Every structure is written in structure tokens, then in C-alpha cells.
Amino acid sequence: MLWSFVASFFVGFGASVAVPNVPEIPGRIVYNIFMSFGTFSLVFILTFFFLTRRTIGYLLRLSEGLEAIAGGDLGYRFPAVREDELGRIAGNINAMAEKLELQIEKERRSEQSKMELITGVSHDLRTPLTSMIGYLELLTAKGYRDESEYDRFVGNAYNKALQLKELIDDLFEYTRLTSHDAKLRLMTVDLNELLGQIEAEFQPLARERGISVETSLPRTPLPMKLDPDKIRRAIDNLLMNALKFSLKPGVVRISLAARDGGGRRTAEIRIENDGRPITREQEERLFERFYKADDSRESSSARGGAGLGLSIARSIARLHGGDIRLRHADGHYDFRIELPAGGASAAEQPESGGYVR
């Protein structure tokens, strides 16, 4: 149909410009016109195909890649070989696939974390409970030889009960701190004085286990707006961690300093001790809930916990708008609590009617 229209057009055109007294265009001229048009069309098609074949091929690759991603292969990536619109489309598809992959990985880790939470809670609660039941069964069956053994069984059962209570308290505290409605009771506190009180209470425990305590505190007050109970809990957890894993005899160092940098003023609390080295992987996981780098590093005289102490300490610091970081090298542990001088972050407002002055 197209060729008929083209032929009619050229025949009509030829008739309109025909030489006078020539009734029609000779067949040879019509043939030449058709040949010229056919040649032009063939050259145009070949040129168009040559110029667009790479684009068409890339479009086909885009289509195949989208099918692969839709089929679940989120690791598929388009090569960055173009800088035009198609290249930008490929880059956007790569970014989309990467985000989807990260989201799925995040959900997988969240599910795995829930399972680890259940496993960790079950294990850490069952261990002291089993011991308590064993001692109580012996006491009920009068399976003790004398009064001294009776007292020892009662004492062991009591200690296991305290351990169980401590584990439950840690779990409750961690759950409360990581919930979205966690609140702080902010008040203006001299952090220097608070740290001095904590150090004085820590001294007898450290002395019993062959650990000496060295402090380096500023001579002037360092007023901070914070929740003193929670900050005390965070520092206590770090000190008990240092006590458990320090080499005996050893030294735990406590220091406090005000820092200015990055356009803001912060307070930095450092707790240092020397213990057995850990791997890089263990170091990266040290603040994970229920994670214990190496139970064999722990002193036999120190009661094991649920692996929540460092997680709780970091959660408290972050509620205040700060953080806790560890610098470890060859068994030297340097925990640093960084707190903003302005108090809690904007997202963490004091409770209504809280103890704020």
C-alpha cells in the first residue's frame, strides 16, 4: 500500500511537471525514481540499524536484567558503560536493587536477632534456675551431711537467685531503653562529682580482686544536663566489665575531660584496662546484646552476666545524644563515653514532671 502511494505520488508529480506535448513520463524515468527511492530507503534502514543497534542491545539487556531482579536475583547489577539517559536509568535500577537487597538483609538480620534473643534469654535464665532447683531438691530431701553443708547449699541457692534477678533486671532495662518511648529524667549534675562517687564505691570491689584504680578528674566542676541514675548505670557496667576481664593484678584507669570540637562541647569519660586480646570480629560485636567475646577470658571469681551490660551502656549514652566507642590494641581496652554538654538529644525530651532543674 505504501509503495502504491509512493508510486502514485511520483507519477502525479512527474505528470505535473511534464514537458508540454509529452503525454506521460516514460517507463524508464519511473523505474529510475523507484530505484533511487529504494536505494535511499535501504541506506536509511541500514544506517539507522547501525547507529541504534547498541542502544537496542542495551535496552534488551535492561529488560533481561529487570526480569532477573524481578525473579529474586537482587545481586544483579548493570554495567556503567553509558552516560546518557539509558545509563542513568541503569544506575537508578542498580540503586533500587541495592536498597531492596539491603532491606531484605536487614529484615533477615532482625529475624535472626529475634531468634538469638530468645535463645540467649532461655539459656541465661535456665542456667541459674537449674542450679537453684538442684540445691533446693537437695535441701528438701535433706541431702546434706551437716549444718555447714546445709548453709553452703542455702548460700549457693541464694546467690543463684540473685544472679537470676540480675539477668531479669538487665533484660528489662535493655528492653525499656531500646523502646521508642524511652524517657530520661534530666537534671543538672556535676559529672566530675558523680564520677568521683562512683569511683569511691568501686574501689573496695576492685581491691578484693587485686585491681588498683587510678583516676584523673578535673579540678573544676563539670555541670551536665543528664539522667544521673542511667549514667551511673552505664559507668558501672563499664567498670564491672573492666573488673571481669582485667589481668590480675592489674589497673583500671578512670578519667574525665571536656572536649571542644566540631562546633560543640562534649564530656569524655574514659575507662581503661589491660586484658587478653580479642579479634577484630569480636571487637566489632562487643556491643551486641547477649554477645560474649570469650567466656574463658572472664575471671572465675566474677559472676557471668547475660552479655547485656555493654549494650545497656551504649543505649544509655545514645539516649543522651552521645555514644560509647572502644579502642583496642594488643589487649589494652579503652572505652570512651562521649556526652554532649547540652544534655539529651532533641528527640529525647525529659519526662513531664520529671526531676529537672
Side-chain angles (χ1 to χ4, degrees), residues 26 80 84 193 203 258 334:
D84 55 3
E193 182 181 353
Q203 281 277 10
D334 182 359

Side-chain angles (χ1 to χ4, degrees), residues 231-267:
I231 290 297
R232 176 185 287 272
R233 177 68 181 273
I235 297 172
D236 281 343
N237 286 359
L238 291 179
L239 288 173
M240 291 307 299
N241 179 77
L243 196 61
K244 288 179 183 179
F245 299 109
S246 287
L247 298 175
K248 313 297 190 298
V251 179
V252 172
R253 300 173 183 86
I254 306 171
S255 61
L256 172 65
R259 307 284 184 193
D260 291 305
R264 66 171 187 164
R265 183 175 176 82
T266 60

Side-chain angles (χ1 to χ4, degrees), residues 102-293:
L102 291 175
Q103 183 64 29
I104 292 175
E105 178 64 18
K106 183 178 179 180
E107 292 177 359
R108 186 189 67 80
R109 288 183 179 179
S110 177
E111 190 65 27
Q112 182 180 359
S113 180
K114 291 178 183 178
M115 295 304 298
E116 290 176 351
L117 173 63
I118 295 172
T119 303
V121 170
S122 301
H123 176 269
D124 288 308
L125 295 182
R126 184 176 62 231
T127 302
L129 186 60
T130 301
S131 297
M132 286 173 55
I133 292 173
Y135 285 119
L136 291 175
E137 286 177 347
L138 288 173
L139 292 171
T140 302
K142 301 186 183 300
Y144 49 88
R145 290 188 297 270
D146 49 35
E147 186 175 349
S148 63
E149 191 170 53
Y150 173 86
D151 292 338
R152 182 165 61 85
F153 287 172
V154 171
N156 289 341
Y158 178 72
N159 289 333
K160 292 299 179 181
L162 291 179
Q163 183 180 354
L164 185 61
K165 181 181 181 299
E166 182 180 336
L167 292 171
I168 293 173
D169 289 343
D170 282 348
L171 180 62
F172 177 74
E173 182 71 9
Y174 176 80
T175 304
R176 192 157 59 92
L177 289 171
T178 54
S179 65
H180 295 295
D181 57 348
K183 299 293 183 182
L184 297 175
R185 290 185 171 183
L186 299 176
M187 60 179 65
T188 301
V189 177
D190 181 2
L191 187 58
N192 188 17
E193 182 181 353
L194 178 64
L195 201 58
Q197 293 174 359
I198 295 173
E199 183 268 336
E201 295 170 2
F202 179 68
Q203 281 277 10
L205 292 174
R207 198 178 302 115
E208 286 178 6
R209 295 175 182 170
I211 301 294
S212 59
V213 182
E214 297 178 359
T215 58
S216 177
L217 304 179
R219 297 181 179 179
T220 57
L222 184 56
M224 298 280 292
K225 201 170 187 179
L226 46 80
D227 186 324
D229 292 334
K230 286 186 169 55
I231 290 297
R232 176 185 287 272
R233 177 68 181 273
I235 297 172
D236 281 343
N237 286 359
L238 291 179
L239 288 173
M240 291 307 299
N241 179 77
L243 196 61
K244 288 179 183 179
F245 299 109
S246 287
L247 298 175
K248 313 297 190 298
V251 179
V252 172
R253 300 173 183 86
I254 306 171
S255 61
L256 172 65
R259 307 284 184 193
D260 291 305
R264 66 171 187 164
R265 183 175 176 82
T266 60
E268 184 182 71
I269 304 169
R270 296 176 62 180
I271 297 175
E272 302 174 73
N273 72 287
D274 294 303
R276 297 180 184 176
I278 56 176
T279 65
R280 181 67 177 175
E281 180 184 359
Q282 290 173 323
E283 182 181 340
E284 291 174 352
R285 298 191 60 192
L286 209 55
F287 288 95
E288 291 182 12
R289 60 188 180 187
F290 295 110
Y291 180 74
K292 301 176 184 179

Side-chain angles (χ1 to χ4, degrees), residues 81-95:
V81 295
R82 301 177 67 101
E83 297 181 358
D84 55 3
E85 289 79 2
L86 290 177
R88 287 193 290 272
I89 291 173
N92 290 335
I93 294 174
N94 286 342

Side-chain angles (χ1 to χ4, degrees), residues 333-349:
Y333 296 84
D334 182 359
F335 287 91
R336 303 185 180 194
I337 308 177
E338 184 180 275
L339 298 171
S345 62
E348 298 296 337
Q349 298 297 330

Side-chain angles (χ1 to χ4, degrees), residues 32-50:
N32 290 337
I33 291 173
F34 274 107
M35 288 299 295
S36 299
F37 183 78
T39 303
F40 170 78
S41 300
L42 180 61
V43 171
F44 174 79
I45 292 172
L46 291 175
T47 303
F48 179 81
F49 175 76
F50 178 78

